[in-house]
């Protein structure tokens, strides 16, 4: 067992909670010891939901283990039905309760509740959160929509002339990265094409809606990690057309529009000819051109990571130097995507491996999860969040989709501005000591003599730490290949180099030092390397 501070995914019962919380009238009875109720905080604090997740915990304690915990579960399920009157119920066990080997499904069946009860068997020590969400959604869809399935091999009847095609959007959940706004954007986009969205599930759907999923003509799994399995079953069982393109980025959105329009028998050329997005023009503007070729490291869930790498390389002109995911179920897809950029995919759920990779590659921009946001901050690299796991600030009050044409605008702003702000910070650092731009000088537009003295003169004095002599770091013991160490004054000098070439300067200097057997990189070494590579 590996102990860790951060995890990309929680246990599978958290995934099941994401499905239950997204639905409207489905309740989840979770056999769990006291302490596992922490999961409530994920929804009420991070997503800032106005109500608790629809979950009843059995919350047994240590002293209950000597008695009959099965009775505790039956009483909790019976009370939950009486109190909340759900239209369907999910039952399962948390990772800890799994060890006592009660059978929530069998116990709930013995209660003979007058609603569908879906038993979840989620192996907590083998699978994780996204798999738990996918399995829960799949089991629920089969349980509620299955009774309405036609005979195997039945073909869908053709639509009446003039009747608009209907599609279902599958996969958005609670605690999803911008799922709420993605759904609004895609619904609007489909309406402009001439396609009606029949059901969005599980986000905002009822048990009755889930039972009707087979009625639509087209099935769109917006988030394959969660809805891919259920969508494939629906498409096969109800003869629905499955649209697999995930519309993140301008190129993918164009492909999505073309694919779903073809599925509906519509002409989308007008939509594609008049794309309501500024991202393509902005990425070609003068302000963006100097960012061309920036080295980008991408990490997240498979759907967002693959899409982000494509956008970075094809639409913004960045160079993808790293691509990875924690979604082991989609490792093959990510590896295939990485081959397009001539790199090897990083498949891991160990954030320390990700941090080491970022340090090794020294990218100029990191696109990742909230984990990578912390990693990038420690390494002084600009970062934008593209995927779950998320933090409270990833649930903005404003409209901020990732999908569709408006999503492309949001991505441009989110990814490019950290680079531009980094440049601005560098310029401020460069000119801080200039006679014309120091802190005591007034703003130029106010004219001469409008300077303002520092509020606290003492603040202008260098601190003892700043006055302290620069200490040269000790070189490592000479064993094996030399790993050069940066002296403090050389590290300080390196920071004067613009951030967008600093990584290259560091790599070149370290290579220069290794080739010459220099163990400690000093200021002189830095400038020797600069002169060498400048020839």
């Amino acid at each position: 067992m590996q102990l860790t501070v951060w995890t990309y995914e929680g246990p599978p019962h958290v995934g099941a909670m994401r499905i239950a919380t997204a639905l409207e009238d489905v309740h989840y009875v979770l056999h769990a010891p006291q302490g596992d109720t922490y999961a409530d905080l994920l929804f009420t604090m991070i997503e800032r939901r106005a109500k608790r997740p629809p979950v009843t915990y059995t919350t047994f304690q240590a002293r209950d283990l000597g008695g009959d915990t099965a009775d505790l579960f039956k009483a909790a399920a019976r009370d939950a039905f009486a109190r909340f009157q759900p239209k369907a119920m999910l039952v399962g066990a948390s990772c800890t309760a799994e060890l006592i080997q009660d059978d929530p499904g069998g116990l709930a069946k013995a209660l003979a509740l007058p609603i569908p009860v879906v038993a979840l068997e989620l192996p907590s020590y083998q699978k994780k959160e996204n798999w738990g969400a996918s399995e829960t959604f799949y089991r629920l869809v089969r349980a509620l929509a299955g009774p309405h399935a036609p005979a195997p091999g039945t073909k869908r009847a053709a639509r009446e002339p003039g009747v608009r095609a209907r599609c279902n959007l599958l996969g958005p959940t609670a605690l999803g990265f911008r799922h709420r706004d993605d759904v609004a954007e895609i619904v609007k986009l489909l309406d402009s094409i001439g396609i009606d969205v029949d059901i969005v599930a599980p986000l905002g759907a009822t048990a009755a809606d889930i039972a009707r999923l087979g009625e639509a003509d087209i099935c769109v799994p917006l988030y394959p990690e969660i809805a891919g399995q259920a969508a494939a079953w629906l498409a096969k069982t109800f003869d629905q057309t499955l649209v697999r393109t995930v519309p993140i980025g301008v190129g993918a959105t164009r492909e999505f529009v073309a694919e779903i329009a073809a599925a509906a028998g519509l002409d989308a050329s007008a939509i594609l000819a008049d794309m309501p997005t500024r991202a393509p023009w902005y990425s070609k503007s003068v302000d963006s051109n100097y960012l061309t070729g920036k080295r980008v490291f991408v990490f997240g869930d498979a759907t967002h990571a693959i899409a982000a790498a494509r956008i970075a390389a094809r639409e913004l002109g960045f160079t993808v130097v790293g691509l990875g995911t924690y979604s082991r179920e989609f490792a093959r897809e990510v590896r295939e995507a990485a081959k397009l950029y001539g790199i090897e995919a990083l498949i891991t759920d160990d954030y320390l491996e990700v941090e080491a990779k970022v340090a090794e590659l020294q990218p100029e921009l990191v696109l990742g999860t909230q984990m990578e946001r912390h990693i990038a901050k420690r390494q002084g690299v600009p970062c934008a969040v593209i995927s779950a796991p998320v933090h409270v600030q990833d649930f903005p009050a404003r409209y901020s989709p990732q999908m569709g044409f408006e999503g492309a605008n949001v991505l441009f702003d989110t990814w490019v501005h950290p680079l531009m702000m980094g440049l601005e910070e560098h310029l401020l650092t460069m000119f801080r000591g200039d006679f014309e731009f120091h802190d005591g000088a007034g703003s130029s537009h106010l004219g001469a003599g409008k300077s303002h003295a520092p509020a606290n003169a003492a603040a202008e004095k260098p601190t003892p730490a700043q006055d302290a002599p620069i200490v040269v770091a000790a070189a490592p013991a000479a064993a094996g290949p030399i790993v050069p160490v940066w002296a403090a004054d050389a590290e300080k000098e390196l920071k004067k180099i613009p951030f967008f070439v600093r990584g290259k300067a560091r790599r070149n200097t370290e290579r220069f030092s290794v080739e010459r057997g220099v163990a400690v990189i000093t200021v002189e070494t830095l400038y020797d390397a600069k002169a060498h590579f400048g020839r």
Side-chain angles (χ1 to χ4, degrees):
M1 177 181 291
Q2 181 182 15
L3 296 178
T4 183
V5 178
W6 292 336
T7 57
Y8 286 101
E9 294 182 274
H13 73 261
V14 172
M17 289 180 65
R18 291 177 60 186
I19 300 297
T21 304
L23 292 161
E24 290 297 319
D25 53 8
V26 175
H27 200 84
Y28 186 22
V29 179
L30 183 62
H31 202 21
Q34 197 173 44
D36 277 2
T37 53
Y38 73 92
D40 270 16
L41 297 178
L42 298 176
F43 299 88
T44 54
M45 292 186 68
I46 294 181
E47 194 172 359
R48 293 185 278 203
R49 280 186 166 259
K51 57 184 180 182
R52 284 192 58 241
V55 180
T56 293
Y57 301 90
T58 53
T59 58
F60 58 84
Q61 303 175 45
R63 62 172 179 265
D64 297 320
L65 295 177
D68 190 351
T69 52
D71 279 344
L72 286 176
F73 178 84
K74 287 194 286 187
R78 193 184 297 113
D79 293 346
F81 174 73
R83 179 181 178 187
F84 299 105
Q85 292 292 303
K87 302 302 181 188
M89 183 179 285
L90 302 169
V91 297
S94 72
C95 46
T96 317
E98 194 179 323
L99 298 174
I100 62 177
Q101 297 185 339
D102 283 336
D103 177 15
L107 296 171
K109 186 176 181 181
L111 295 176
L113 298 174
I115 56 173
V117 177
V118 180
L120 303 176
E121 294 183 5
L122 307 176
S124 301
Y125 301 97
Q126 300 164 17
K127 300 292 185 180
K128 295 203 170 184
E129 181 179 325
N130 276 340
W131 183 90
S134 173
E135 181 71 8
T136 301
F137 187 50
Y138 171 66
R139 293 291 168 196
L140 188 67
V141 167
R142 288 203 63 160
L144 301 184
H148 306 282
T154 303
K155 294 296 180 185
R156 176 173 294 277
R159 292 195 315 278
E160 296 292 331
V163 176
R164 286 166 57 117
R166 294 185 297 167
C167 84
N168 296 327
L169 302 181
L170 306 179
T173 67
L175 271 185
F177 185 69
R178 310 288 171 82
H179 287 191
R180 175 195 61 192
D181 295 342
D182 283 349
V183 168
E185 183 65 19
I186 298 304
V187 169
K188 189 167 59 176
L189 176 63
L190 292 176
D191 182 60
S192 68
I193 300 172
I195 299 173
D196 291 330
V197 174
D198 194 19
I199 297 169
V200 177
L203 190 64
T206 64
D209 291 334
I210 299 294
R212 293 195 303 107
L213 282 175
E215 296 177 5
D217 307 295
I218 303 168
C219 184
V220 181
L222 287 179
Y223 308 97
E225 283 93 341
I226 294 170
Q229 188 180 13
W233 180 82
L234 284 166
K236 179 180 178 182
T237 305
F238 293 93
D239 192 29
Q240 295 177 328
T241 303
L242 189 60
V243 174
R244 294 186 180 277
T245 302
V246 178
I248 301 179
V250 175
T253 301
R254 289 178 60 89
E255 291 174 9
F256 172 79
V257 169
E259 185 178 355
I260 200 166
L266 299 172
D267 181 8
S269 56
I271 299 293
L272 297 176
D274 186 25
M275 295 184 299
T277 176
R278 292 175 291 277
W281 164 245
Y282 274 35
S283 64
K284 296 174 184 172
S285 66
V286 174
D287 279 346
S288 301
N289 279 344
Y290 71 88
L291 301 175
T292 300
K294 295 302 166 208
R295 296 161 49 81
V296 181
F297 178 86
V298 182
F299 194 87
D301 65 39
T303 297
H304 286 91
I306 293 172
R310 171 178 168 162
I311 296 166
R314 298 185 185 177
E315 299 177 17
L316 298 181
F318 295 159
T319 300
V320 179
V321 296
L323 172 62
T325 183
Y326 55 84
S327 306
R328 292 187 181 278
E329 292 84 0
F330 288 77
R332 183 170 58 184
E333 288 83 348
V334 177
R335 286 195 177 98
E336 289 298 317
K339 289 178 183 176
L340 300 175
Y341 314 107
I343 56 179
E344 184 176 350
L346 176 64
I347 312 297
T348 181
D349 58 358
D350 184 347
Y351 70 91
L352 294 176
E353 282 188 38
V354 180
E355 182 164 15
K357 197 66 176 179
V358 173
E360 175 194 335
L361 296 173
Q362 297 180 12
E364 290 147 308
L365 176 67
V366 172
L367 303 174
T369 71
Q370 65 158 327
M371 310 287 204
E372 284 66 50
R373 177 156 47 195
H374 294 299
I375 290 170
K377 186 176 181 181
R378 279 202 296 273
Q379 300 193 18
V381 181
C383 177
V385 175
I386 60 164
S387 161
V390 289
H391 196 257
V392 63
Q393 61 188 293
D394 298 313
F395 291 93
R398 69 183 183 280
Y399 182 59
S400 185
Q402 301 287 286
M403 293 185 173
F405 292 122
E406 183 59 25
N409 292 335
V410 172
L411 293 177
F412 177 87
D413 290 343
T414 308
W415 299 4
V416 169
H417 287 173
L419 289 170
M420 301 178 79
M421 291 302 293
L423 178 63
E424 188 173 283
E425 285 181 13
H426 173 71
L427 292 175
L428 288 172
T429 303
M430 284 181 64
F431 291 106
R432 183 164 294 156
D434 190 277
F435 73 94
E436 199 174 357
F437 298 105
H438 64 82
D439 292 343
S443 305
S444 58
H445 68 281
L446 297 178
K450 296 294 184 181
S451 63
H452 47 80
N456 183 2
E460 296 295 305
K461 296 179 180 178
T463 63
Q466 290 173 320
D467 280 344
I470 295 172
V471 178
V472 176
I482 290 177
V483 180
V485 176
W486 284 78
D489 56 345
E491 191 83 44
K492 186 176 179 181
E493 193 70 13
L494 180 68
K495 292 180 179 176
K496 294 179 181 178
I497 297 174
F499 77 94
F500 43 86
V501 294
R502 193 180 303 154
K504 185 175 182 180
R506 178 185 286 276
R507 291 191 297 277
N508 283 346
T509 305
E510 291 177 352
R511 189 176 67 171
F512 178 85
S513 302
V514 169
E515 291 172 353
R516 285 156 183 77
V518 177
V520 179
I521 298 175
T522 63
V523 174
E524 289 73 24
T525 314
L526 176 63
Y527 282 101
D528 286 347
K530 179 184 176 185
H532 172 76
F533 289 104
R535 284 199 290 269

